[in-house]
Coordinates of all heavy atoms in Angstrom, one line a residue:
Chain D
T677 N -87.2 -38.6 -7.0 CA -87.0 -39.9 -6.3 C -85.7 -40.5 -6.6 O -85.3 -40.5 -7.7 CB -88.2 -40.8 -6.7 OG1 -89.4 -40.2 -6.3 CG2 -88.0 -42.2 -6.0
Chain R
G316 N -104.8 -45.5 -3.3 CA -103.4 -45.5 -3.4 C -102.9 -46.6 -4.3 O -103.7 -47.3 -4.9
E317 N -101.6 -46.7 -4.5 CA -101.0 -47.6 -5.4 C -101.0 -49.0 -4.8 O -101.0 -49.2 -3.6 CB -99.5 -47.2 -5.6 CG -98.6 -48.1 -6.4 CD -99.1 -48.3 -7.8 OE1 -100.0 -49.1 -8.1 OE2 -98.5 -47.6 -8.7
N318 N -101.2 -50.0 -5.7 CA -101.1 -51.4 -5.3 C -100.2 -52.2 -6.2 O -100.4 -52.2 -7.4 CB -102.5 -52.0 -5.3 CG -102.5 -53.5 -4.9 OD1 -101.9 -53.8 -3.8 ND2 -103.1 -54.4 -5.6
V319 N -99.2 -52.8 -5.6 CA -98.2 -53.5 -6.4 C -98.3 -55.0 -6.1 O -98.2 -55.4 -5.0 CB -96.8 -53.0 -6.1 CG1 -95.7 -53.9 -6.9 CG2 -96.6 -51.6 -6.5
E320 N -98.5 -55.8 -7.2 CA -98.6 -57.3 -7.0 C -97.4 -57.9 -7.7 O -97.0 -57.5 -8.8 CB -99.9 -57.8 -7.6 CG -101.1 -57.3 -6.9 CD -102.4 -58.0 -7.3 OE1 -102.3 -58.9 -8.2 OE2 -103.4 -57.8 -6.7
C338 N -94.2 -58.0 -12.0 CA -95.0 -57.1 -11.1 C -96.0 -56.3 -11.9 O -95.8 -55.9 -13.0 CB -94.1 -56.1 -10.4 SG -93.1 -57.0 -9.1
T339 N -97.2 -56.1 -11.3 CA -98.2 -55.2 -11.9 C -98.4 -54.0 -10.9 O -98.3 -54.2 -9.6 CB -99.5 -55.9 -12.2 OG1 -100.0 -56.4 -10.9 CG2 -99.3 -57.0 -13.1
Y340 N -98.8 -52.9 -11.4 CA -99.1 -51.8 -10.5 C -100.5 -51.2 -10.9 O -101.0 -51.4 -12.0 CB -98.0 -50.7 -10.5 CG -97.7 -50.1 -11.9 CD1 -98.3 -48.8 -12.2 CD2 -96.9 -50.7 -12.8 CE1 -98.0 -48.2 -13.4 CE2 -96.7 -50.1 -14.0 CZ -97.2 -48.9 -14.3 OH -97.0 -48.3 -15.6
S341 N -101.1 -50.4 -10.1 CA -102.4 -49.9 -10.3 C -102.5 -48.4 -10.7 O -103.4 -48.0 -11.4 CB -103.3 -50.2 -9.1 OG -102.9 -49.5 -8.0
D342 N -101.6 -47.7 -10.2 CA -101.7 -46.2 -10.3 C -100.9 -45.8 -11.6 O -99.7 -45.9 -11.6 CB -101.1 -45.5 -9.1 CG -101.3 -44.0 -9.1 OD1 -101.7 -43.5 -10.1 OD2 -101.1 -43.4 -8.0
S343 N -101.6 -45.3 -12.6 CA -101.0 -44.9 -13.8 C -100.1 -43.7 -13.7 O -99.3 -43.4 -14.5 CB -102.1 -44.6 -14.9 OG -102.9 -43.5 -14.4
A344 N -100.1 -43.0 -12.5 CA -99.2 -41.9 -12.3 C -97.9 -42.4 -11.8 O -96.9 -41.6 -11.7 CB -99.9 -40.9 -11.2
S345 N -97.7 -43.6 -11.4 CA -96.4 -44.1 -11.0 C -95.4 -44.1 -12.2 O -95.8 -44.4 -13.3 CB -96.5 -45.5 -10.5 OG -97.2 -45.6 -9.2
N346 N -94.2 -43.6 -11.9 CA -93.3 -43.4 -13.0 C -91.9 -43.8 -12.7 O -90.9 -43.5 -13.5 CB -93.4 -42.0 -13.5 CG -93.3 -41.0 -12.4 OD1 -92.8 -41.3 -11.3 ND2 -93.7 -39.8 -12.7
Y347 N -91.7 -44.5 -11.6 CA -90.3 -44.9 -11.2 C -90.4 -46.3 -10.6 O -91.2 -46.5 -9.7 CB -89.7 -43.9 -10.3 CG -88.3 -44.4 -9.7 CD1 -87.2 -44.5 -10.6 CD2 -88.1 -44.6 -8.4 CE1 -86.0 -44.9 -10.1 CE2 -86.8 -45.0 -7.9 CZ -85.8 -45.2 -8.8 OH -84.6 -45.6 -8.3
F348 N -89.7 -47.3 -11.2 CA -89.8 -48.7 -10.8 C -88.5 -49.3 -10.5 O -87.8 -49.8 -11.4 CB -90.6 -49.4 -11.9 CG -91.8 -48.7 -12.4 CD1 -91.8 -47.8 -13.4 CD2 -93.0 -49.0 -11.7 CE1 -93.0 -47.2 -13.8 CE2 -94.2 -48.4 -12.1 CZ -94.2 -47.4 -13.2
P349 N -88.1 -49.4 -9.2 CA -86.9 -50.0 -8.8 C -87.0 -51.4 -8.4 O -88.2 -51.9 -8.1 CB -86.4 -49.2 -7.6 CG -87.7 -48.7 -7.0 CD -88.7 -48.6 -8.1
I365 N -86.0 -48.4 -13.4 CA -86.4 -47.9 -14.7 C -87.4 -46.8 -14.5 O -88.2 -46.9 -13.6 CB -87.0 -49.1 -15.6 CG1 -87.1 -48.7 -17.0 CG2 -88.3 -49.6 -15.0 CD1 -87.4 -49.8 -18.0
R366 N -87.3 -45.8 -15.4 CA -88.3 -44.7 -15.3 C -89.2 -44.9 -16.5 O -88.9 -45.6 -17.5 CB -87.5 -43.4 -15.3 CG -86.6 -43.2 -14.1 CD -86.0 -41.9 -14.0 NE -85.0 -41.8 -12.9 CZ -85.3 -41.5 -11.7 NH1 -86.5 -41.2 -11.3 NH2 -84.3 -41.5 -10.8
S367 N -90.4 -44.2 -16.3 CA -91.5 -44.5 -17.3 C -91.2 -44.1 -18.7 O -92.0 -44.5 -19.6 CB -92.7 -43.8 -16.8 OG -92.5 -42.4 -16.7
N368 N -90.2 -43.3 -18.9 CA -89.9 -42.9 -20.3 C -89.0 -43.9 -21.0 O -88.6 -43.6 -22.2 CB -89.3 -41.5 -20.3 CG -88.0 -41.4 -19.5 OD1 -87.7 -42.3 -18.8 ND2 -87.3 -40.3 -19.7
V369 N -88.7 -45.0 -20.4 CA -87.8 -46.0 -21.0 C -88.6 -47.3 -20.9 O -89.3 -47.7 -20.0 CB -86.5 -46.1 -20.1 CG1 -85.7 -47.3 -20.7 CG2 -85.8 -44.8 -20.2
T380 N -88.0 -54.7 -17.9 CA -88.8 -54.2 -19.0 C -90.0 -53.6 -18.3 O -90.5 -54.0 -17.3 CB -89.2 -55.3 -19.9 OG1 -89.9 -56.3 -19.1 CG2 -88.0 -55.9 -20.6
L381 N -90.6 -52.6 -19.0 CA -91.7 -51.8 -18.5 C -92.8 -51.7 -19.6 O -92.4 -51.3 -20.7 CB -91.3 -50.4 -18.0 CG -92.5 -49.5 -17.6 CD1 -93.3 -50.0 -16.5 CD2 -91.9 -48.1 -17.4
N382 N -94.0 -52.0 -19.3 CA -95.1 -51.9 -20.2 C -96.1 -51.0 -19.5 O -96.9 -51.4 -18.7 CB -95.8 -53.2 -20.6 CG -96.9 -53.1 -21.6 OD1 -97.6 -52.1 -21.6 ND2 -97.0 -54.0 -22.5
K383 N -96.1 -49.7 -19.9 CA -96.9 -48.7 -19.2 C -98.4 -48.9 -19.5 O -99.2 -48.7 -18.7 CB -96.5 -47.3 -19.6 CG -95.2 -46.8 -18.9 CD -95.2 -45.3 -18.9 CE -96.2 -44.7 -18.0 NZ -96.2 -43.2 -18.0
T384 N -98.6 -49.3 -20.7 CA -100.1 -49.5 -21.1 C -100.7 -50.6 -20.3 O -101.8 -50.4 -19.8 CB -100.2 -49.8 -22.6 OG1 -99.5 -48.8 -23.4 CG2 -101.6 -50.0 -23.0
A385 N -100.0 -51.7 -20.1 CA -100.5 -52.8 -19.3 C -100.2 -52.6 -17.8 O -100.7 -53.5 -17.0 CB -99.9 -54.1 -19.8
K386 N -99.5 -51.7 -17.5 CA -99.1 -51.4 -16.1 C -98.4 -52.6 -15.5 O -98.8 -53.2 -14.4 CB -100.3 -51.0 -15.2 CG -100.9 -49.7 -15.6 CD -101.7 -49.2 -14.4 CE -102.8 -48.2 -14.8 NZ -103.9 -48.7 -15.6
H387 N -97.4 -53.1 -16.2 CA -96.6 -54.2 -15.6 C -95.1 -54.1 -16.0 O -94.8 -53.4 -17.0 CB -97.1 -55.6 -15.9 CG -97.0 -56.0 -17.3 ND1 -95.8 -56.4 -17.9 CD2 -98.0 -56.3 -18.2 CE1 -96.1 -56.8 -19.1 NE2 -97.4 -56.7 -19.4
F388 N -94.3 -54.5 -15.1 CA -92.8 -54.5 -15.3 C -92.2 -55.8 -14.8 O -92.8 -56.5 -13.9 CB -92.2 -53.3 -14.7 CG -92.4 -53.1 -13.2 CD1 -91.4 -53.2 -12.3 CD2 -93.7 -52.7 -12.7 CE1 -91.6 -53.0 -11.0 CE2 -93.9 -52.5 -11.4 CZ -92.8 -52.7 -10.5
C405 N -90.0 -55.8 -6.1 CA -90.3 -54.7 -7.0 C -90.9 -53.6 -6.2 O -91.5 -53.8 -5.2 CB -91.1 -55.2 -8.2 SG -92.8 -55.7 -7.7
A406 N -90.9 -52.4 -6.8 CA -91.5 -51.2 -6.2 C -92.0 -50.2 -7.2 O -91.5 -50.2 -8.4 CB -90.6 -50.6 -5.2
A407 N -92.9 -49.4 -6.8 CA -93.4 -48.4 -7.7 C -93.6 -47.1 -6.9 O -93.9 -47.1 -5.7 CB -94.7 -48.8 -8.4
T408 N -93.4 -45.9 -7.6 CA -93.6 -44.7 -6.9 C -93.7 -43.6 -8.0 O -93.4 -43.8 -9.1 CB -92.4 -44.4 -5.9 OG1 -92.7 -43.2 -5.1 CG2 -91.1 -44.1 -6.7
K409 N -94.1 -42.4 -7.5 CA -94.2 -41.3 -8.4 C -92.9 -40.4 -8.1 O -92.5 -40.3 -7.0 CB -95.4 -40.4 -8.1 CG -96.7 -41.2 -8.1 CD -97.9 -40.4 -7.6 CE -99.1 -41.3 -7.3 NZ -100.2 -40.6 -6.8
I410 N -92.4 -39.8 -9.1 CA -91.2 -39.0 -9.0 C -91.6 -37.6 -8.4 O -91.4 -36.6 -9.0 CB -90.4 -38.9 -10.2 CG1 -90.1 -40.3 -10.7 CG2 -89.1 -38.1 -10.0 CD1 -89.1 -40.3 -11.9
T411 N -92.4 -37.6 -7.4 CA -92.7 -36.3 -6.7 C -92.6 -36.5 -5.2 O -93.1 -35.7 -4.4 CB -94.2 -35.9 -7.0 OG1 -95.1 -36.9 -6.8 CG2 -94.3 -35.4 -8.5
G412 N -92.0 -37.5 -4.8 CA -91.9 -37.8 -3.4 C -91.1 -39.1 -3.2 O -90.4 -39.6 -4.0
N413 N -91.1 -39.6 -2.0 CA -90.3 -40.8 -1.7 C -91.1 -41.8 -1.0 O -90.7 -42.5 -0.1 CB -89.2 -40.3 -0.8 CG -87.8 -40.8 -1.3 OD1 -87.8 -41.2 -2.5 ND2 -86.8 -40.9 -0.5
Q414 N -92.4 -42.0 -1.4 CA -93.3 -43.0 -0.8 C -93.3 -44.2 -1.8 O -93.9 -44.1 -2.9 CB -94.7 -42.5 -0.6 CG -95.6 -43.6 0.0 CD -96.9 -43.0 0.4 OE1 -97.1 -41.8 0.4 NE2 -97.8 -43.8 0.9
F415 N -92.6 -45.3 -1.5 CA -92.5 -46.4 -2.3 C -93.5 -47.5 -1.9 O -93.7 -47.8 -0.8 CB -91.1 -47.0 -2.2 CG -90.0 -46.2 -2.9 CD1 -89.5 -45.1 -2.3 CD2 -89.5 -46.6 -4.1 CE1 -88.6 -44.3 -3.0 CE2 -88.5 -45.9 -4.8 CZ -88.0 -44.7 -4.2
Y416 N -94.1 -48.1 -3.0 CA -95.0 -49.2 -2.8 C -94.3 -50.5 -3.3 O -94.0 -50.6 -4.4 CB -96.3 -49.0 -3.5 CG -97.1 -47.8 -3.1 CD1 -96.9 -46.5 -3.6 CD2 -98.1 -47.9 -2.1 CE1 -97.6 -45.4 -3.2 CE2 -98.8 -46.8 -1.7 CZ -98.5 -45.6 -2.2 OH -99.3 -44.5 -1.8
F417 N -94.1 -51.4 -2.3 CA -93.3 -52.6 -2.6 C -94.3 -53.8 -2.9 O -95.3 -53.9 -2.3 CB -92.4 -53.0 -1.5 CG -91.2 -52.1 -1.4 CD1 -91.1 -50.9 -0.8 CD2 -90.0 -52.6 -2.0 CE1 -90.0 -50.1 -0.7 CE2 -88.8 -51.8 -2.0 CZ -88.8 -50.6 -1.3
G418 N -93.8 -54.7 -3.8 CA -94.4 -56.0 -3.9 C -94.1 -56.8 -2.7 O -93.3 -56.5 -1.8

Side-chain angles (χ1 to χ4, degrees):
Chain D
T677 298
Chain R
E317 174 66 277
N318 181 47
V319 177
E320 294 190 356
C338 289
T339 61
Y340 61 99
S341 61
D342 189 348
S343 57
S345 290
N346 48 20
Y347 175 64
F348 307 93
I365 191 167
R366 298 186 187 270
S367 59
N368 58 346
V369 176
T380 58
L381 171 64
N382 183 325
K383 283 202 69 180
T384 302
K386 295 201 199 71
H387 68 71
F388 55 113
C405 63
T408 190
K409 306 171 194 177
I410 304 185
T411 53
N413 232 17
Q414 180 170 357
F415 287 75
Y416 296 88
F417 283 85

